[in-house]
Amino acid sequence: MNAVEIVQVSAAWAPLGALLLLALATVATGLDGAIAARAAGHPWQQGLRLPWAETARLLRQRRRTTVAADRLLWRTAGAGLLVTALLKIVVVPLGAWTLSDMSVGLVWFNAMDILVWALVWLAGWGPNSAHSLIGGYRFLGQALSYELPLMFALTAPATAAGSLRVGDIVTAQQGLWFIVWMPVAFLVFCAALMGFSVWGPFSTPFGADIAGGVLAETSGIDRWLLLAGRWALLTAGSAFGVTLFLGGGAGPVLPAWLWVLVKTGILLAALVLLRRRLPALRPDRIAAAAWLVVLPLVLLQVLIVSVVVVGRG
Amino acid sequence: MDLSRRLAEAAVRRTCVLVVEVPGWAATRYAAELAIRRRGWRLASSPADADVLLTCGTPGPRLAEAVGLLWEQVPGPRARATVTARSAVDAAMEQAAAALLDTGHQRADAAQRSPDPAMGTRAEHDEDDEDSGGSENQHADEEHASDGSDGDMNDSDMNDGGGDMDMDMEPGGIPLAGGAQDRDGLEMDVLHVPLGPVLPHWPAGLLLHCTLSGDVVTEARPEVLGAAVDAVPDPPMPGASAVDRLDRAARLLYLAGWEARATDALRLRDDLLAGNDDASVAAGVDRLVARIRRSWVLRWSLRGTGPISSGTCEELGLDDRATGDVHDRLVICLTEARSALEGDRLPAPVSPEILAELLPGLEIGAVRLLVASLDLDTGAHLSTGTAAR
């Protein structure tokens, strides 16, 4: 395996990055729909159409508002999730190419993640509705639980690579993927990834028990933006996970850029399959587990990585 | 074929239906849900999510008004239908789909709607006057159309600033939230939010007048909005049965956020209704129970949620099988379905009145799970909501 030299490409390629992100998110949604359709007794092919049918439905639906809604913040937050996902992939190298090879790429990703805190909460606050607001607060509680473990999980690869530059982290994995000796950090990253995408077991801010929570009052394009934003965040997070832990574009035969897409697809599919097997984690339970069990474990992981790095000199 | 027609056809494949069950019409709702699943449609989680508003049964005046308010909140393109018999479900779905496809009709409907959101009625703010006969009429006027999936009328929370603002200020006509001490002694906004009468995975016609401190219910007064006085359900409401246990298990699983297993429970329910062999359904129930028991994540997530002690059970006249937490009751619900298939008699449903005792102090998610975990008899309380005003 030859080390891939990461080059920064012109910002004119950004729309292509956005298209790839949305295409992967659509595939993941289709897969999710296909599995759900089979479980409901329909042919699975019917479920593949689901992202398109839902998009058509929401494009045709009227937007709505509520009495005394904070429209500006509500709409901004709705569109913000998708924008955040796009900003996240700016630092993810697609094989040899990256949109921005900034020296603090890892911190950039984390900063975008903090943006999600504000956006989901504002989306819950905007419509001036009890169920939405409870959804927004549930997310803040959840974010307090996943954010610190996530930050330490991100620290592990950075420590091993001795750099915050995402390109350096990929290069440092040429011999051995980080997942092999940082499994705990990888698992914590995957859980936090579902957390900031407000998805799967971490979807209680959008839960059925609060009539859709943050989604309760949205319709039409506003609803589409929130739903698509969540899937896009999940996809962007998976792509970043591939970059940090699964060797980025490293792999035989196929070109590096294709490996990134394939690995991202596989990680997404694994998450979609996992979701069917797990109930939602009730928000009041997550905090204790995150702070008492997960945080010490991930700190231990960082310690081990640090000792190995020091030992290697 | 033009683009908008194609868009409409694609959209209708994924129609979302908000189903309103009038107490007594459970069998009609089962039929409607089956028809929705067969078409590849899905159930809506709130009026904002819905394309079709389907009422199963003949609602009494107050429930009908609540449904009317919901209709105002459905964004459109929208269609509305009422079915009172299982046999009418399919035709109603066809009509709804046709109405959604009729772009001209939808345009006309949209043109005559006000661009401003519908102003609902306020939740009651005074829990003490419920027994004073004089205020009864006005009282009913205030609360009749409140519905849980739409909290807009009832939560001016967060606007309260430092708590020293003029309490007469009413942004958008909504009074500001009051404050009160929470359990930890810190001040919290206090809201009066009605839960029900129409919420997904919620007992038919149940309306809970809740006082919320943040997301914790501090007070709850249950009430049932019933069917019209002279309406007779078709078929008459079945008693406690395996079908109704499977339906309740599915609700609990939906609320616990486990869609995959909830779908399993619903399919078993529909198999049973379709007259499938009891033995094959029983085997399916066994598999479902085994899967639920094996899930330590579900146990961990639900452990200690909505607990009822054996003392409380006795006090409230509950069957002692209700003792324990929501997870215990989910497993018991399914084992009861299993034993009903073998011909055992099930305990009779209980009055929703007991909720007033059980709910205070619980977070809203726990409230939903607890309500779904009990076999509440909303049918026997028709009288509270049907009295002509």
Side-chain angles (χ1 to χ4, degrees):
Chain A
M1 265 184 285
N2 294 322
V4 186
E5 190 65 34
I6 307 276
V7 289
Q8 186 167 321
V9 296
S10 143
W13 290 98
L16 183 69
L19 272 182
L20 282 175
L21 180 77
L22 289 179
L24 268 175
T26 311
V27 170
T29 324
L31 176 67
D32 190 53
I35 297 171
R38 234 177 66 108
H42 300 296
W44 59 270
Q45 294 90 335
Q46 195 177 325
L48 286 182
R49 287 203 307 248
L50 189 124
W52 305 107
E54 192 73 32
T55 300
R57 185 180 89 84
L58 292 175
L59 282 180
R60 203 166 167 253
Q61 198 172 52
R62 294 174 80 195
R63 303 170 81 183
R64 69 195 282 281
T65 185
T66 52
V67 177
D70 193 330
R71 274 181 231 189
L72 176 68
L73 293 181
W74 186 16
R75 307 300 195 213
T76 312
L81 287 184
L82 196 54
V83 175
T84 308
L86 295 177
L87 288 174
K88 277 186 176 187
I89 57 155
V90 161
V91 293
V92 177
L94 183 65
W97 312 297
T98 182
L99 282 167
S100 167
D101 192 24
M102 64 177 91
S103 59
V104 289
L106 195 83
V107 180
W108 170 264
F109 182 87
N110 204 208
M112 292 306 107
D113 180 44
I114 303 298
L115 210 54
V116 179
W117 286 51
L119 294 173
V120 176
W121 188 78
L122 283 176
W125 186 69
N128 191 22
S129 151
H131 280 123
S132 295
L133 188 69
I134 290 171
Y137 276 115
R138 274 189 184 180
F139 179 74
L140 288 191
Q142 180 168 306
L144 280 172
S145 307
Y146 76 70
E147 196 62 53
L148 272 185
L150 170 64
M151 284 181 182
F152 284 110
L154 293 179
T155 308
T159 311
S163 167
L164 292 171
R165 191 189 298 270
V166 178
D168 293 345
I169 294 174
V170 177
T171 316
Q173 295 179 70
Q174 289 309 319
L176 186 64
W177 294 0
F178 282 165
I179 185 179
V180 179
W181 57 296
M182 308 174 188
V184 176
F186 176 69
L187 290 177
V188 170
F189 177 83
C190 286
L193 151 65
M194 292 188 277
F196 67 65
S197 309
V198 212
W199 184 90
F202 294 91
S203 61
T204 51
F206 290 73
D209 54 346
I210 44 174
V214 173
L215 281 174
E217 304 290 350
T218 58
S219 68
I221 192 68
D222 303 311
R223 195 180 189 87
W224 186 89
L225 283 169
L226 278 172
L227 294 173
R230 284 164 78 196
W231 280 100
L233 280 173
L234 193 77
T235 311
S238 300
F240 200 65
V242 165
T243 309
L244 285 196
F245 295 101
L246 299 176
V253 188
L254 299 179
W257 63 270
L258 195 53
W259 267 119
V260 173
L261 295 182
V262 168
K263 286 179 192 174
T264 307
I266 291 172
L267 184 54
L268 267 175
L271 292 175
V272 167
L273 289 173
L274 180 74
R275 178 172 101 124
R276 308 278 312 167
R277 307 188 65 90
L278 291 180
L281 304 176
R282 287 178 41 74
D284 45 347
R285 293 296 149 90
I286 301 176
W291 284 80
L292 299 176
V293 182
V294 178
L295 193 56
L297 276 177
V298 74
L299 280 172
L300 199 64
Q301 173 80 82
V302 176
L303 178 71
I304 293 171
V305 171
S306 311
V307 169
V308 170
V309 169
V310 171
R312 274 198 317 215
Chain B
M1 208 197 296
D2 64 319
L3 189 64
S4 74
R5 176 80 191 168
R6 273 199 211 179
L7 193 69
E9 277 173 2
V12 168
R13 285 201 199 111
R14 192 61 181 164
T15 301
C16 295
V17 186
L18 186 65
V19 179
V20 180
E21 178 191 344
V22 178
W25 270 268
T28 313
R29 172 172 63 85
Y30 300 154
E33 287 181 358
L34 176 62
I36 288 166
R37 185 161 62 76
R38 281 218 178 117
R39 285 164 177 270
W41 294 5
R42 70 174 174 84
L43 295 173
S45 61
S46 68
D49 187 27
D51 305 304
V52 175
L53 181 63
L54 179 73
T55 311
C56 297
T58 316
R62 286 179 59 200
L63 188 52
E65 277 182 81
V67 174
L69 183 60
L70 287 180
W71 177 240
E72 285 306 308
Q73 296 171 2
V74 176
R78 55 180 190 166
R80 187 178 187 175
T82 302
V83 288
T84 51
R86 287 172 298 172
S87 52
V89 165
D90 273 313
M93 299 279 176
E94 287 294 338
Q95 266 175 16
L100 288 176
L101 280 173
D102 184 350
T103 308
H105 164 76
Q106 293 297 343
R107 284 228 173 91
D109 175 49
Q112 55 90 28
R113 292 177 75 177
S114 154
D116 296 321
M119 188 76 179
T121 44
R122 277 177 200 170
E124 60 188 71
H125 284 244
D126 187 0
E127 304 277 332
D128 301 329
D129 63 348
E130 63 183 292
D131 294 322
S132 60
S135 66
E136 195 59 42
N137 272 343
Q138 174 229 349
H139 207 92
D141 272 337
E142 277 183 1
E143 68 196 51
H144 62 241
S146 45
D147 72 279
S149 16
D150 166 66
D152 7 332
M153 301 322 307
N154 316 303
D155 42 285
S156 45
D157 28 79
M158 309 314 300
N159 296 330
D160 198 9
D164 55 358
M165 287 161 71
D166 182 1
M167 293 307 288
D168 290 336
M169 272 179 60
E170 300 196 351
I174 310 170
L176 294 174
Q181 285 199 342
D182 196 11
R183 295 153 298 168
D184 54 8
L186 297 171
E187 181 161 318
M188 278 289 256
D189 278 356
V190 171
L191 304 172
H192 299 275
V193 176
L195 286 183
V198 181
L199 272 177
H201 322 303
W202 183 253
L206 179 66
L207 172 57
L208 272 182
H209 303 276
C210 293
T211 306
L212 287 183
S213 197
D215 65 349
V216 173
V217 172
T218 53
E219 234 183 302
R221 187 170 63 82
E223 188 187 7
V224 175
L225 304 191
V229 185
D230 50 353
V232 182
D234 165 59
M237 177 132 109
S241 63
V243 169
D244 126 280
R245 288 299 188 267
L246 285 168
D247 183 59
R248 201 146 54 76
R251 283 182 161 177
L252 259 174
L253 286 163
Y254 271 120
L255 292 173
W258 204 0
E259 218 183 307
R261 295 291 84 80
T263 314
D264 291 348
L266 279 189
R267 289 190 70 182
L268 288 169
R269 179 196 78 183
D270 293 340
D271 285 350
L272 208 53
L273 285 168
N276 278 22
D277 172 28
D278 277 8
S280 74
V281 175
V285 175
D286 286 341
R287 269 197 306 277
L288 182 59
V289 173
R291 288 180 116 164
I292 285 170
R293 283 215 165 110
R294 262 206 311 274
S295 170
W296 63 267
V297 180
L298 185 74
R299 208 174 320 124
W300 171 73
S301 184
L302 294 183
R303 192 195 300 137
T305 302
I308 304 180
S309 68
S310 54
T312 318
C313 259
E314 214 165 288
E315 217 172 279
L316 297 173
L318 277 170
D319 188 275
D320 60 358
R321 281 186 254 189
T323 318
D325 57 25
V326 167
H327 188 271
D328 296 332
R329 286 195 289 279
L330 170 63
V331 172
I332 285 170
C333 186
L334 284 166
T335 39
E336 281 184 350
R338 184 74 173 78
S339 63
L341 286 174
E342 281 161 6
D344 287 4
R345 275 178 62 88
L346 298 178
V350 294
S351 155
E353 298 294 323
I354 61 165
L355 293 176
E357 303 292 322
L358 292 173
L359 300 184
L362 295 182
E363 176 263 336
I364 200 160
V367 165
R368 294 297 310 273
L369 285 164
L370 178 63
V371 169
S373 74
L374 294 169
D375 186 15
L376 298 173
D377 184 7
T378 55
H381 291 258
L382 292 177
S383 54
T384 59
T386 45
R389 284 189 287 121

